[in-house]
Amino acid sequence: MAHEHHHIPHSYNRAFAIGISLNLIFVVIEFVYGFLGNSLALITDAGHNLSDVLTLLLAWGAIYLAGKEPTPYRTYGFRRLTILASLLSGMLLLVAVGAIAWEAVGRLADPQPVDGMTVIIVAAIGVVINTITALLFIRGQKHDLNIKAAFLHMAADAGVSLGVVIAGVVIMFTDWLWVDPLLGLLIALVILYSTLELLRDSTGLAIDAVPKGIDPHEVEAYLKQLPGVDEVHDLHIWPVSTTENALTAHLVVPQFPADDALVQLASDELHRRFGIDHVTLQCETGNDYCKQASPGSL
């Protein structure tokens, strides 16, 4: 039985184009007015937004390449680039966190005058832009780590920008100059928290760990209860990309299946229950064995 099993992730071309354009414009605005208003909070947030633009570009490029057809020498195509892109995004964010924290600590020791009204206006624009961008990715963030990274970054930025607005108001009415660098440090902590989560998930995918949301014990238990299966061993589950998973396993059976019914049943149920698309099952009996591959296996 032949079955086409080539998945092209949703490109989100329009969402990426709009999000990158809006954020690039806002980065320029934040840098300029952060410099003119002498606001570390605006400048550091602009640096963070610039790193988010790079994150969006990496994710977009990786998803585009993941849609390319496999070749005899790249049997999974470029799908793993979606994992590497999310990992690189996390590493870039760690560098940005270090730079922001360093400058914030220096400013805490020597607070500088800040134009509170400039901070309020520019940060309010940021709340709107980041919220719009986050909403562009809200539907896909549950199924794709790259899209989730984009969504979380933009949602966090909207919250951070709101915090900057509040800081501007506080500075205007109290003249507490230390609020600005303190907020810059808090921004760094917020970014660090989301970055560590992203790095944990992307590193797991990069080293072929069982994808998040799949319990290997449940998968093994399901395979063992298949009709005619006595034992399961050499079970491997790994990510092909940020949206696709693969499985191989050896099934010990008393006699070889007469047709593909067992393999087809297992393949369909593994997809339905666990979101595993690429399934290869090898049936064994005694010292002999035969390979049974699902119609969708690679």
Side-chain angles (χ1 to χ4, degrees):
M1 295 174 62
H3 178 66
E4 180 64 26
H5 208 133
H6 178 58
H7 296 269
I8 300 177
H10 195 298
S11 64
Y12 287 89
N13 284 330
R14 186 165 174 262
F16 278 114
I18 294 174
I20 290 171
S21 299
L22 288 176
N23 279 273
L24 272 178
I25 294 171
F26 183 57
V27 163
V28 175
I29 293 173
E30 264 197 318
F31 267 125
V32 170
Y33 283 94
F35 178 77
L36 294 177
N38 199 29
S39 170
L40 177 63
L42 284 181
I43 293 173
T44 54
D45 194 43
H48 178 214
N49 278 314
L50 181 59
S51 70
D52 282 343
V53 170
L54 295 177
T55 298
L56 292 175
L57 285 170
L58 280 170
W60 195 8
I63 289 176
Y64 171 76
L65 290 174
K68 296 293 185 181
E69 293 287 342
T71 70
Y73 293 98
R74 293 190 180 91
T75 55
Y76 283 118
F78 292 95
R79 300 178 197 183
R80 185 160 289 268
L81 284 178
T82 58
I83 298 173
L84 298 179
S86 62
L87 181 60
L88 181 56
S89 296
M91 295 170 67
L92 289 174
L93 282 172
L94 280 184
V95 175
V97 167
I100 292 171
W102 179 268
E103 184 64 23
V105 171
R107 284 285 190 103
L108 274 173
D110 183 25
Q112 302 293 320
V114 174
D115 185 343
M117 183 54 70
T118 298
V119 171
I120 293 171
I121 295 173
V122 175
I125 296 173
V127 172
V128 175
I129 289 178
N130 288 317
T131 299
I132 291 173
T133 307
L135 291 175
L136 293 173
F137 299 103
I138 193 170
R139 284 199 307 171
Q141 54 96 17
K142 293 182 179 180
H143 310 291
D144 188 329
L145 187 61
N146 265 325
I147 300 301
K148 179 181 179 181
F151 171 77
L152 288 177
H153 283 308
M154 295 302 110
D157 283 352
V160 168
S161 295
L162 181 59
V164 175
V165 172
I166 296 172
V169 173
V170 172
I171 291 172
M172 279 187 63
F173 288 98
T174 66
D175 204 29
W176 293 346
L177 300 181
W178 51 267
V179 170
D180 184 64
L182 178 62
L183 186 61
L185 193 58
L186 291 176
I187 290 172
L189 291 175
V190 170
I191 300 169
L192 179 62
Y193 177 80
S194 60
T195 299
L196 290 178
E197 182 181 12
L198 175 63
L199 281 173
R200 181 195 63 196
D201 292 342
S202 57
T203 299
L205 295 182
I207 62 174
D208 288 339
V210 175
K212 192 174 181 179
I214 298 177
D215 186 336
H217 302 294
E218 290 185 10
V219 173
E220 183 176 11
Y222 165 72
L223 291 174
K224 283 183 177 179
Q225 61 83 44
L226 287 170
V229 174
D230 294 334
E231 188 56 60
V232 176
H233 63 92
D234 287 332
L235 172 63
H236 300 281
I237 308 169
W238 73 97
V240 177
S241 69
T242 54
T243 59
E244 298 173 79
N245 305 311
L247 174 148
T248 61
H250 292 194
L251 306 181
V252 179
V253 295
Q255 61 181 15
F256 295 141
D259 53 32
D260 290 334
L262 175 64
V263 172
Q264 186 65 61
L265 170 65
S267 180
D268 291 343
E269 283 299 299
L270 287 169
H271 171 75
R272 186 181 69 83
R273 296 188 185 191
F274 305 102
I276 300 173
D277 302 299
H278 303 273
V279 177
T280 301
L281 300 175
Q282 177 172 298
C283 298
E284 300 176 352
T285 174
N287 294 323
D288 298 322
Y289 70 92
C290 70
K291 278 191 177 181
Q292 289 283 351
S294 74
S297 66
L298 295 181

